Amino acid sequence: MACHPHPIMVDIYLFNPEHDLALAHGAHNYTAPPFARQLRRDLRLLPSWLARAGSYIAIPDDCPIEEDHRWLNDHQLDVNPVPLSQIAELGACRIHPWGWDSTLRYQLLQAGVLPEYLPTDEQLDWIRRLSHRRLTIAVHQALGESFSPCPVELDSYDDVMVFAVSHPGCYLKMPWSGSGKGIYRVIDPMGDNHVPRWIDGALKRQGSLLCEVGLDRLQDFAIESECIDGKTMLTGYSVFDSDFHSQFGTGRVAPKEELHQFLLNQYPGLDPVVEKVLKALDVIVAPHYNGPLGIDMMLYRDGDGKIALNPCVEINLRMTMGMVTAAMGNQHALRGNFMITNDPSGHYRALLK
């Protein structure tokens, strides 16, 4: 049954964590690996923290919907689960996925959603182009001053190896990947036999690598924002820890003002830099994209021992774990530390402690 125009638009949220991998693939026929499919199933209700009251969460057809109803009720979340194959029956819809890509658009068309409720191929092409990690270079350059070393994009094996040898502790990043996947921290390129194979494979799959100097990391955080009608609007902050390979570890859940003050206490000059970054995104991203946008930043200790700022480590044109923690702290007045765990049975769990 297809969506039909209706005066009331229904909001439908959907967790598709394989989004970044689908962007790397590029076509609409991407098949996610088992770990990504497991993550999508296990954390299917994660967007409910971000969802508007009265909206719906699209879940895989084989998930226990009564169990999901109980979980949502227990957490006092005014959201309704609906099997993916039935979302078209809800009528006119606004769909809010974790991230938009051609594979998801195809899946929704197969589920009966009409094209007018989905982004066009041109819009999806812009999302894919802007999701390339070279966007961070454009933002660094647009700031007009140097806060931290700017990443460089290299497309030859020899050039990447020279960079890695010259910068022990550097990060090599595939153009499209997420949540720490596709990132290699190189400590000893000549002594690590895996490094040459990883570089060679990454270049063959994605054509280039973003190479970044390793910094003395003090604090990871992000500016959560949204692009609306050509403007990039600040919506919140997230403060988190990441592991050796830059994978999300633990996110701090607290009110927006408290997180903002925590960051200002460490780096008093933050706000003017954030304003510059948002203005740069007004020019580079906002004319071509409407939706959530996360800008990862980092405080680090420079060569003089002073606290410095990397104003653009990553940019995500999608929902993020930081947006989830920000919503928990602001919309739901929760506090604590949020994390994703993998239990002995191989299932993923989202926990707030």
Side-chain angles (χ1 to χ4, degrees):
M1 183 176 178
C3 282
H4 294 292
H6 193 277
I8 298 176
M9 297 286 282
V10 174
D11 288 295
I12 304 172
Y13 293 76
L14 185 149
F15 185 56
N16 58 318
E18 72 278 12
H19 162 68
D20 297 293
L21 299 172
L23 286 181
H25 183 264
H28 74 269
N29 59 345
Y30 176 70
T31 301
F35 86 87
R37 296 199 298 272
Q38 187 73 51
L39 191 63
R40 181 171 180 167
R41 191 180 194 281
D42 290 346
L43 302 186
R44 59 191 177 274
L45 298 179
L46 193 64
S48 58
W49 297 107
L50 296 160
R52 296 185 179 98
S55 59
Y56 291 82
I57 300 287
I59 63 171
D61 287 358
D62 61 347
C63 290
I65 195 166
E66 291 305 320
E67 182 181 306
D68 289 354
H69 274 295
R70 284 194 296 273
W71 187 92
L72 292 164
N73 289 333
D74 289 346
H75 289 82
Q76 298 181 318
L77 295 169
D78 183 14
V79 183
N80 306 289
V82 58
L84 181 64
S85 64
Q86 297 177 22
I87 61 174
E89 299 175 17
L90 297 173
C93 47
R94 279 186 300 259
I95 298 179
H96 310 270
W98 195 252
W100 277 114
D101 54 70
S102 295
T103 296
L104 179 62
R105 184 178 190 275
Y106 179 74
Q107 290 172 353
L108 294 172
L109 287 170
Q110 293 294 103
V113 179
L114 293 181
E116 54 258 42
Y117 303 128
L118 303 172
T120 64
D121 288 336
E122 182 183 7
Q123 289 170 324
L124 291 174
D125 185 56
W126 269 111
I127 289 172
R128 186 173 190 270
R129 276 190 273 171
L130 291 169
S131 296
H132 192 293
R133 279 197 166 102
R134 68 167 66 102
L135 180 63
T136 60
I137 298 175
V139 172
H140 275 272
Q141 293 173 341
L143 294 179
E145 58 183 305
S146 177
F147 293 90
S148 62
C150 183
V152 295
E153 184 179 4
L154 302 173
D155 60 8
S156 86
Y157 173 87
D158 289 342
D159 289 345
V160 173
M161 281 299 291
V162 168
F163 185 95
V165 170
S166 304
H167 302 90
C170 70
Y171 290 86
L172 306 180
K173 300 182 177 182
M174 293 184 194
W176 291 282
S177 68
S179 304
K181 305 292 183 183
I183 298 177
Y184 201 111
R185 188 177 185 191
V186 183
I187 302 300
D188 178 14
M190 305 308 291
D192 184 346
N193 293 330
H194 187 58
V195 170
R197 293 195 299 273
W198 190 91
I199 293 172
D200 185 59
L203 290 173
K204 285 177 179 175
R205 285 193 298 276
Q206 298 198 20
S208 67
L209 285 168
L210 277 294
C211 305
E212 299 179 8
V213 174
L215 302 172
D216 185 6
R217 182 195 311 262
L218 296 175
Q219 181 64 63
D220 291 301
F221 68 101
I223 304 303
E224 310 302 350
S225 64
E226 186 171 9
C227 290
I228 305 173
D229 297 331
K231 292 290 293 180
T232 311
M233 315 295 292
L234 175 67
T235 59
Y237 304 89
S238 61
V239 174
F240 59 94
D241 298 317
S242 56
D243 66 13
F244 184 79
H245 291 293
S246 297
Q247 287 186 294
F248 177 86
T250 303
R252 183 172 170 181
V253 176
K256 176 181 177 180
E257 297 76 14
E258 183 177 315
L259 296 179
H260 184 211
Q261 192 58 53
F262 171 78
L263 295 169
L264 287 178
N265 289 344
Q266 297 178 78
Y267 192 83
L270 176 64
D271 287 352
V273 183
V274 169
E275 187 175 343
K276 286 184 177 182
V277 171
L278 295 178
K279 285 183 177 178
L281 293 169
D282 283 346
V283 176
I284 301 169
V285 175
H288 314 289
Y289 172 72
N290 279 310
L293 183 76
I295 308 108
D296 288 357
M297 300 184 177
M298 179 177 67
L299 297 178
Y300 68 98
R301 198 173 301 281
D302 66 17
D304 297 324
K306 297 178 181 178
I307 295 179
L309 171 69
N310 183 336
C312 187
V313 179
E314 300 276 355
I315 300 179
N316 295 299
L317 279 76
R318 55 169 172 78
M319 296 179 185
T320 66
M321 292 297 175
M323 292 175 190
V324 173
T325 58
M328 285 179 163
N330 292 311
Q331 294 167 223
H332 304 284
L334 297 173
R335 286 181 173 272
N337 293 307
F338 173 83
M339 66 196 74
I340 304 297
T341 64
N342 193 234
D343 66 27
S345 66
H347 288 284
Y348 294 93
R349 297 284 181 263
L351 301 175
L352 179 64
K353 292 185 175 181

